[in-house]
């Protein structure tokens, strides 16, 4: 239930960064001085070569990240039905820091001086189209899977009637135990593609998401197998056929 706090922080923080970058790119304004100091601390060269595609990619991915946070916040508030499970205080603090760091990581993919007063000329490339298409596809499936999980605890009228665990069926649940985790990975892969595919920094983020979601999926898969004797044996934990 407290995962909701992560998305509140992400919507506010990454929304602020998005506005700052948008104003810098399209209005020729400078980023706030403290953001430039953060760039310098992280080793970003403020005199990097000006590349329009790089700038537009960062702006696009920051927008996708913010939209993802908005959707997940809405799902936490109005779709998901949470049990009485608890979260460790260390994991909670790490989660808050993560959603602040991940938006800052996107922002650091462009120089601190951004465009030296010049407005952005939009360059839409093939990898932007592929990335956004994959992002929308994965997001739709993640929402469907989260709705399936929530409906297991609701009656037809939408009223919550139970907080117990049940076996989900439908959509990607026919292939894996945790398709919403798999969709989360695909969403971050789509952002890596939208950043130009060759952005090593963001692929490090993708690797973190891969191991994080895989661990959670394996634990959940084991729970299903131990508690439901008739659980479908063909289902994998995280990635279809793997």
């Amino acid at each position: 239930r407290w995962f909701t706090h992560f998305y509140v922080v992400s919507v506010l923080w990454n929304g602020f960064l998005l506005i700052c970058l948008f104003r810098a790119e399209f209005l020729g304004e400078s980023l706030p001085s403290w953001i430039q100091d953060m760039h310098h601390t992280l080793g970003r060269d403020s005199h990097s070569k000006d590349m329009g595609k790089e700038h537009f990619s960062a702006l696009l991915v920051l927008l996708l990240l913010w939209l993802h946070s908005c959707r997940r916040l809405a799902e936490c508030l109005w779709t998901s039905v949470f049990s009485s499970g608890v979260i460790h205080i260390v994991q909670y603090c790490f989660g808050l820091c993560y959603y602040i760091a991940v938006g800052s990581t996107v922002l650091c993919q462009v120089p601190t001086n951004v465009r030296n007063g010049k407005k952005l000329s939009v360059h839409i490339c093939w990898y932007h189209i592929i990335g956004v298409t994959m992002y929308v596809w994965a997001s739709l499936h993640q929402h469907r899977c989260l709705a399936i999980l929530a409906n297991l605890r609701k009656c037809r009228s939408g009223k919550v009637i139970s907080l117990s665990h049940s076996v989900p069926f439908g959509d990607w649940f026919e292939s894996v135990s945790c398709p919403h985790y798999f969709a989360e990975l695909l969403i971050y892969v789509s952002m890596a593609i939208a950043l130009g595919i060759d952005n090593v920094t963001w692929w490090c983020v993708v690797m973190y998401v891969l191991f994080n979601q895989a661990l959670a999926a394996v634990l959940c898969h084991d729970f299903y197998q131990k508690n439901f004797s008739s659980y479908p044996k063909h289902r994998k934990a995280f990635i279809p056929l793997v």
Side-chain angles (χ1 to χ4, degrees), residues 2 155 165 171 215:
W2 279 30
C155 61
H165 294 278
D171 205 75
L215 174 60

Side-chain angles (χ1 to χ4, degrees), residues 92-126:
Y92 177 75
C93 293
F94 182 84
L96 294 175
C97 293
Y98 170 79
Y99 282 99
I100 293 175
V102 73
S104 304
T105 300
V106 178
L107 191 63
C108 286
Q109 302 313 299
V110 295
T112 54
N113 57 347
V114 187
R115 303 192 60 78
N116 292 317
K118 299 179 182 178
K119 295 181 181 179
L120 175 66
S121 177
V122 176
H123 297 276
I124 299 178
C125 301
W126 61 269

Side-chain angles (χ1 to χ4, degrees), residues 39-54:
H39 274 63
H40 179 72
T41 301
L42 295 174
R44 181 63 180 181
D45 184 5
S46 61
H47 300 291
S48 296
K49 183 179 179 181
D50 182 20
M51 297 178 63
K53 295 179 182 179
E54 183 184 62

Side-chain angles (χ1 to χ4, degrees), residues 14-33:
N14 293 317
F16 168 73
L17 294 182
L18 180 62
I19 292 173
C20 288
L21 186 57
F22 182 88
R23 293 174 65 89
E25 296 288 7
F26 287 100
L27 302 179
E29 298 181 2
S30 298
L31 292 172
S33 58

Side-chain angles (χ1 to χ4, degrees), residues 65-78:
L65 181 63
W66 180 75
L67 290 174
H68 176 61
S69 300
C70 289
R71 178 180 62 81
R72 290 293 294 118
L73 176 59
E75 288 167 344
C76 286
L77 293 175
W78 297 299

Side-chain angles (χ1 to χ4, degrees), residues 11-216:
V11 168
L12 295 176
W13 171 250
N14 293 317
F16 168 73
L17 294 182
L18 180 62
I19 292 173
C20 288
L21 186 57
F22 182 88
R23 293 174 65 89
E25 296 288 7
F26 287 100
L27 302 179
E29 298 181 2
S30 298
L31 292 172
S33 58
W34 60 271
I35 290 183
Q36 296 190 37
D37 292 338
M38 178 181 68
H39 274 63
H40 179 72
T41 301
L42 295 174
R44 181 63 180 181
D45 184 5
S46 61
H47 300 291
S48 296
K49 183 179 179 181
D50 182 20
M51 297 178 63
K53 295 179 182 179
E54 183 184 62
H55 286 258
F56 178 70
S57 296
L59 183 63
L60 175 62
V61 170
L62 194 54
L63 174 62
L64 295 179
L65 181 63
W66 180 75
L67 290 174
H68 176 61
S69 300
C70 289
R71 178 180 62 81
R72 290 293 294 118
L73 176 59
E75 288 167 344
C76 286
L77 293 175
W78 297 299
T79 301
S80 298
V81 179
F82 298 102
S83 65
S84 56
V86 297
I87 184 174
H88 195 283
I89 184 63
V90 174
Q91 185 184 8
Y92 177 75
C93 293
F94 182 84
L96 294 175
C97 293
Y98 170 79
Y99 282 99
I100 293 175
V102 73
S104 304
T105 300
V106 178
L107 191 63
C108 286
Q109 302 313 299
V110 295
T112 54
N113 57 347
V114 187
R115 303 192 60 78
N116 292 317
K118 299 179 182 178
K119 295 181 181 179
L120 175 66
S121 177
V122 176
H123 297 276
I124 299 178
C125 301
W126 61 269
Y127 51 81
H128 294 144
I129 297 174
I130 293 177
V132 171
T133 301
M134 184 178 180
Y135 172 89
V136 173
W137 174 64
S139 296
L140 287 173
H141 277 285
Q142 187 178 54
H143 177 74
R144 290 173 186 171
C145 292
L146 289 170
I148 289 173
L149 287 174
N151 289 334
L152 291 175
R153 295 175 171 177
K154 299 177 182 179
C155 61
R156 291 187 177 183
S157 64
K159 182 179 179 180
V160 177
I161 57 176
S162 172
L163 294 181
S164 62
H165 294 278
S166 303
V167 179
F169 292 93
D171 205 75
W172 287 355
F173 278 109
E174 299 304 320
S175 300
V176 293
S177 296
C178 301
H180 47 307
Y181 295 158
F182 178 54
E184 184 81 2
L185 173 63
L186 293 181
I187 288 170
Y188 277 85
V189 170
S190 71
M191 294 182 194
I193 295 174
L195 268 176
I197 299 180
D198 59 349
N199 190 292
V200 177
T201 302
W202 194 257
W203 280 111
C204 289
V205 176
V206 172
M207 291 302 295
Y208 163 77
V209 174
L210 168 62
F211 290 118
N212 177 275
Q213 299 297 297
L215 174 60

